[in-house]
Amino acid sequence: MILYLHGFRSSPSSMKARVTGQRMAELGRAAEFICPQLPASPRLAMELAFGLVAGVAPDELTIIGSSLGGYYATWMAEKLGCRAVLLNPAVVPMLDLDKHVGVTTAYHSDERFEFKREYIEELRALAVPQITRPERYFLLACTGDEVLDYRDMVAHYAGARQKVVQGSDHAISEYADYLGEVLEYCGITGGTR
């Protein structure tokens, strides 16, 4: 089972979520891929995510998290003891998202939503100062990320499996090139074409 958690202002329509879901469908495993639209509230996002994987054994679950979703995936992996793949993850989103308090729009729909100041404290409650069992984590970080500093990611996930891509961007525009490796880490055989 793969739970995909998108980033801030993103959605299940993001390129990485769609590419992953399409590949799982091609493999006949669409039912093992879950990618919900996360609410703006981190607390509600985690309630939703935990509810979706309730009853799934930790060794049968991998959470893929992109950007803010990577922050969420880390907290969930620590709580559940499952694997996590982190795609240019936010390490300290409280600092980056403080400037986004207020009404903003989603990237893929232009739908307006409010990111409230109280959500910063909800994020702080999900902080993982240091990961345990680094072998549970696979970090995919890009040196060309224009939103987050890849060096923070590399340091935070020290000891984990890491793939540092030279260049690229926050969206990981060539994500399809790495999908086979991501799915292999998730335990999905036949993930490469």
PDB file of all heavy atoms in Angstrom, residues 46 77 99 106 130:
ATOM      1  N   MET A  46      -3.622  15.111   9.089  1.00  0.00           N
ATOM      2  CA  MET A  46      -3.104  13.895   9.707  1.00  0.00           C
ATOM      3  C   MET A  46      -4.229  12.975  10.157  1.00  0.00           C
ATOM      4  O   MET A  46      -4.112  11.753  10.038  1.00  0.00           O
ATOM      5  CB  MET A  46      -2.178  14.242  10.882  1.00  0.00           C
ATOM      6  CG  MET A  46      -0.850  14.852  10.442  1.00  0.00           C
ATOM      7  SD  MET A  46       0.170  13.744   9.421  1.00  0.00           S
ATOM      8  CE  MET A  46      -0.478  14.031   7.773  1.00  0.00           C
ATOM      9  N   ALA A  77       5.588   8.131   9.612  1.00  0.00           N
ATOM     10  CA  ALA A  77       6.508   6.988   9.630  1.00  0.00           C
ATOM     11  C   ALA A  77       7.048   6.743  11.034  1.00  0.00           C
ATOM     12  O   ALA A  77       7.204   5.594  11.462  1.00  0.00           O
ATOM     13  CB  ALA A  77       7.656   7.217   8.646  1.00  0.00           C
ATOM     14  N   LYS A  99       4.758  32.998   6.148  1.00  0.00           N
ATOM     15  CA  LYS A  99       4.443  34.088   5.211  1.00  0.00           C
ATOM     16  C   LYS A  99       3.208  33.796   4.350  1.00  0.00           C
ATOM     17  O   LYS A  99       2.735  34.655   3.624  1.00  0.00           O
ATOM     18  CB  LYS A  99       5.656  34.398   4.329  1.00  0.00           C
ATOM     19  CG  LYS A  99       6.109  33.254   3.460  1.00  0.00           C
ATOM     20  CD  LYS A  99       7.355  33.643   2.653  1.00  0.00           C
ATOM     21  CE  LYS A  99       7.902  32.466   1.886  1.00  0.00           C
ATOM     22  NZ  LYS A  99       8.945  31.753   2.558  1.00  0.00           N
ATOM     23  N   ALA A 106      -5.069  27.199  -4.538  1.00  0.00           N
ATOM     24  CA  ALA A 106      -4.424  25.921  -4.840  1.00  0.00           C
ATOM     25  C   ALA A 106      -3.807  26.013  -6.232  1.00  0.00           C
ATOM     26  O   ALA A 106      -4.299  26.743  -7.098  1.00  0.00           O
ATOM     27  CB  ALA A 106      -5.454  24.793  -4.783  1.00  0.00           C
ATOM     28  N   GLN A 130      14.624  14.522  15.219  1.00  0.00           N
ATOM     29  CA  GLN A 130      15.618  13.593  14.665  1.00  0.00           C
ATOM     30  C   GLN A 130      14.919  12.280  14.348  1.00  0.00           C
ATOM     31  O   GLN A 130      14.188  11.741  15.181  1.00  0.00           O
ATOM     32  CB  GLN A 130      16.755  13.353  15.668  1.00  0.00           C
ATOM     33  CG  GLN A 130      17.850  12.477  15.116  1.00  0.00           C
ATOM     34  CD  GLN A 130      19.046  12.392  16.057  1.00  0.00           C
ATOM     35  OE1 GLN A 130      19.036  12.972  17.142  1.00  0.00           O
ATOM     36  NE2 GLN A 130      20.052  11.665  15.645  1.00  0.00           N
TER      37      GLN A 130
END
